[in-house]
Amino acid sequence: MRFFLLVSWMACLASGMRRRHDHHEMRIPKGEVKGEPLDKRMYFMDYMPEYNFIPCTCAKCGTTAMLNFVYSRVFGHDWPFNVSVSHMDIHNIFADRWERHGVPQFELVWEKQKQAELMKTAFSLAIIRNPITRLISSFKSKIQCQTGAHAGDPGRAAFVKQLLELRGQKSNKTCLD
């Protein structure tokens, strides 16, 4: 149980912040400058000021389901786009689809002091997932060879290549069984 709680705490860094990865570059809101110092860009907090809400999301922890729920509460209807085709769009919380009356619903909070202040007053929600099922799900969507509707992550080939390089293997494999 302690291991599960530690993993859960680490998954959201106990403060609603999340580490920025290359595939999250699409999440930089309009007008943000990419040239900030690395330490400032590494950790950020998603915040919904109108609702004083911090959704704490991490990979393979039900983020799509949480954002579907949030979208339905903000806009009064479910996500209107085909989730199986454009499921990543719901994660791009700075896209026009997340604006209401031209107002973005999310802001990124970079400053540590503001993050600390918000954590004292805002409602934050984290979905914690069993680390074993999370690992299996990650393998299936990010590494395992699949076809059809469950073909998985479009960045799989690059991810598999990096994974194999960590093992000291050079390969042209784009997925693993």
Side-chain angles (χ1 to χ4, degrees):
M1 183 67 172
R2 285 185 185 163
F3 174 75
F4 177 72
L5 292 175
L6 175 64
V7 170
S8 301
W9 176 80
M10 290 171 54
C12 292
L13 299 175
S15 63
M17 293 180 289
R18 176 169 45 171
R19 190 177 188 313
R20 177 171 294 287
H21 295 285
D22 290 339
H23 65 277
H24 284 122
E25 287 298 322
M26 68 177 187
R27 303 188 68 234
I28 294 177
K30 297 171 193 159
E32 283 286 339
V33 178
K34 289 187 179 184
E36 292 129 347
L38 184 59
D39 63 332
K40 188 175 183 185
R41 288 184 20 190
M42 291 295 281
Y43 295 99
F44 60 93
M45 174 187 286
D46 296 328
Y47 176 60
M48 298 182 77
E50 185 176 340
Y51 301 94
N52 199 28
F53 174 59
I54 302 166
C56 180
T57 58
C58 60
K60 309 309 298 173
C61 283
T63 302
T64 302
M66 183 192 328
L67 290 175
N68 271 312
F69 177 79
V70 169
Y71 188 92
S72 71
R73 295 306 178 259
V74 169
F75 295 95
H77 57 84
D78 291 336
W79 181 254
F81 309 99
N82 186 341
V83 175
S84 66
V85 174
S86 62
H87 77 280
M88 289 302 290
D89 287 349
I90 198 165
H91 296 99
N92 188 357
I93 58 177
F94 297 104
D96 294 343
R97 294 174 177 172
W98 273 100
E99 291 183 4
R100 189 170 55 152
H101 309 297
V103 178
Q105 295 301 298
F106 287 89
E107 69 179 50
L108 284 181
V109 179
W110 302 97
E111 302 81 19
K112 290 180 182 181
Q113 184 172 349
K114 185 172 181 183
Q115 291 172 352
E117 290 170 12
L118 287 172
M119 286 306 296
K120 292 176 185 173
T121 60
F123 175 78
S124 61
L125 175 66
I127 297 176
I128 307 303
R129 186 170 177 186
N130 179 314
I132 295 170
T133 60
R134 182 178 177 207
L135 182 62
I136 292 168
S137 177
S138 296
F139 174 80
K140 286 181 177 180
S141 74
K142 307 287 184 207
I143 299 171
Q144 186 178 35
C145 299
Q146 296 180 13
T147 60
H150 301 287
D153 194 286
R156 174 182 292 138
F159 187 75
V160 168
K161 180 182 177 187
Q162 291 174 347
L163 188 63
L164 291 172
E165 285 175 359
L166 283 173
R167 287 192 70 198
Q169 295 178 330
K170 297 283 184 189
S171 175
N172 291 329
K173 289 184 178 183
T174 58
C175 61
L176 301 175
D177 288 319

